[in-house]
Amino acid sequence: MIRFTRMTVSAHCDLPCGVYDPAQARIEAESIKAICKKVAENDDPDFRTRAAIIKEARSHLVKEHLWVLWTDYFKPPHFEKYPNLNALFNEATKLAGASGTKGSFDEAQADALLAKIAEIDAIFWETKKA
C-alpha cells in the first residue's frame, strides 16, 4: 500500500519571484515611442505600414506583460497597501490599447504609457524589498 502525505504549500507567485519584472513592459513601450518618432520623420507609406504593424504588436506585448504582473505577481496585500494599483494597471493597459499607443503614432501617448509603467515599477520594487 502506498501512502501519500498531504502537504500544504504557500507561494507568493507562480514561480520564484525573480521571473517578474516591469522592465519587459518598459522595453516594449520604449520601442513604441521610438517607432512613433521614426514615423513622424518618414512619409513612405510602406515604412509607415510596417511601423504600424510592429507598433501594434509591441502595444499588445506591453498589455500582456502588465497583465501578468497584475494578475500573477501582485496579491491582495499589495492592493491593500497601494490602493491606486488597480487604477494604474487599468490606465496603463488602456494607454497601450486601441485608444492609446496601439491606435496612434502620438508620442505623448507613448510618454504617458512610460510614465504609468514607471509608477508600477516603483511599487513593484517596493514590494520586492518587503
Side-chain angles (χ1 to χ4, degrees):
M1 173 185 256
I2 299 174
R3 288 195 175 228
F4 293 98
T5 303
R6 178 173 276 176
M7 179 182 344
T8 302
V9 296
S10 176
H12 170 75
C13 50
D14 297 338
L15 290 171
C17 288
V19 302
Y20 299 102
D21 195 328
Q24 295 167 306
R26 181 188 46 76
I27 290 166
E28 298 299 347
E30 287 174 352
S31 175
I32 292 164
K33 182 174 177 176
I35 290 169
C36 292
K37 198 172 273 194
K38 288 183 179 290
V39 163
E41 300 166 352
N42 194 318
D43 291 332
D44 177 33
D46 292 331
F47 175 84
R48 293 175 71 84
T49 298
R50 286 193 328 270
I53 291 167
I54 294 166
K55 179 187 57 65
E56 288 179 14
R58 299 287 168 97
S59 292
H60 188 76
L61 286 172
V62 168
K63 289 167 54 171
E64 286 189 13
H65 291 306
L66 291 175
W67 285 331
V68 167
L69 285 170
W70 196 2
T71 60
D72 293 355
Y73 174 79
F74 287 104
K75 302 295 182 211
H78 297 132
F79 294 104
E80 290 169 18
K81 184 172 182 181
Y82 305 96
N84 64 330
L85 195 53
N86 276 315
L88 281 173
F89 275 106
N90 185 49
E91 293 162 6
T93 55
K94 290 199 179 302
L95 281 166
S99 62
T101 60
K102 189 172 184 181
S104 78
F105 286 106
D106 184 359
E107 280 187 65
Q109 293 282 339
D111 285 333
L113 175 58
L114 283 163
K116 290 294 178 191
I117 292 170
E119 289 182 63
I120 292 167
D121 184 70
I123 293 171
F124 172 82
W125 287 108
E126 282 180 31
T127 66
K128 296 283 278 187
K129 292 177 191 172

